[in-house]
Amino acid sequence: MEQDSIPEQFGRLEEKVGQLVDRCHTLERAKADLEAKIRHLEEVVRSKDAAEEQHVEEKGMIKSRIDHLLSRLDQAVDSDGTPLKTETFST
């Protein structure tokens, strides 16, 4: 009876080891998938950071150009608020 018990115990042990190995393989695949997803998301973040940086630079350039145009408009108006004389065309 004891001899029958040992093979049964080995059978159960082999089954549990097999399940454990399968679970390890599943977890390794899940880990690899998650690492790939992390790499993808990091690339997305880098891309969005670059786009945001470009947006900030463009916004600064636009503000600078608007300020320059406003300055030119201010120069086109004399100190009492009337426009400087410009050439008019009669039709």
Side-chain angles (χ1 to χ4, degrees), residues 31-44:
K31 179 183 176 192
D33 291 345
L34 290 171
E35 288 171 341
K37 187 174 184 177
I38 287 170
R39 284 190 300 275
H40 170 72
L41 291 173
E42 286 174 339
E43 181 58 36
V44 168

Side-chain angles (χ1 to χ4, degrees), residues 67-89:
D67 289 344
H68 177 71
L69 289 171
L70 289 173
S71 174
R72 287 181 61 196
L73 284 173
D74 286 342
Q75 292 172 1
V77 177
D78 65 9
S79 62
D80 66 0
T82 57
L84 294 175
K85 292 181 183 177
T86 57
E87 197 175 317
T88 58
F89 298 97

Side-chain angles (χ1 to χ4, degrees), residues 1 8 16 22 25 45 56 70 78:
M1 186 163 166
E8 289 174 11
K16 290 188 185 282
D22 289 343
H25 289 307
V45 168
V56 167
L70 289 173
D78 65 9

Side-chain angles (χ1 to χ4, degrees), residues 24-67:
C24 285
H25 289 307
T26 300
L27 291 172
E28 287 172 346
R29 285 190 299 272
K31 179 183 176 192
D33 291 345
L34 290 171
E35 288 171 341
K37 187 174 184 177
I38 287 170
R39 284 190 300 275
H40 170 72
L41 291 173
E42 286 174 339
E43 181 58 36
V44 168
V45 168
R46 279 191 293 275
S47 175
K48 289 186 183 288
D49 284 347
E52 181 182 3
E53 180 66 28
Q54 182 178 359
H55 175 73
V56 167
E57 289 174 7
E58 287 174 355
K59 186 177 175 182
M61 190 245 341
I62 290 168
K63 183 181 180 332
S64 174
R65 290 180 73 183
I66 289 172
D67 289 344

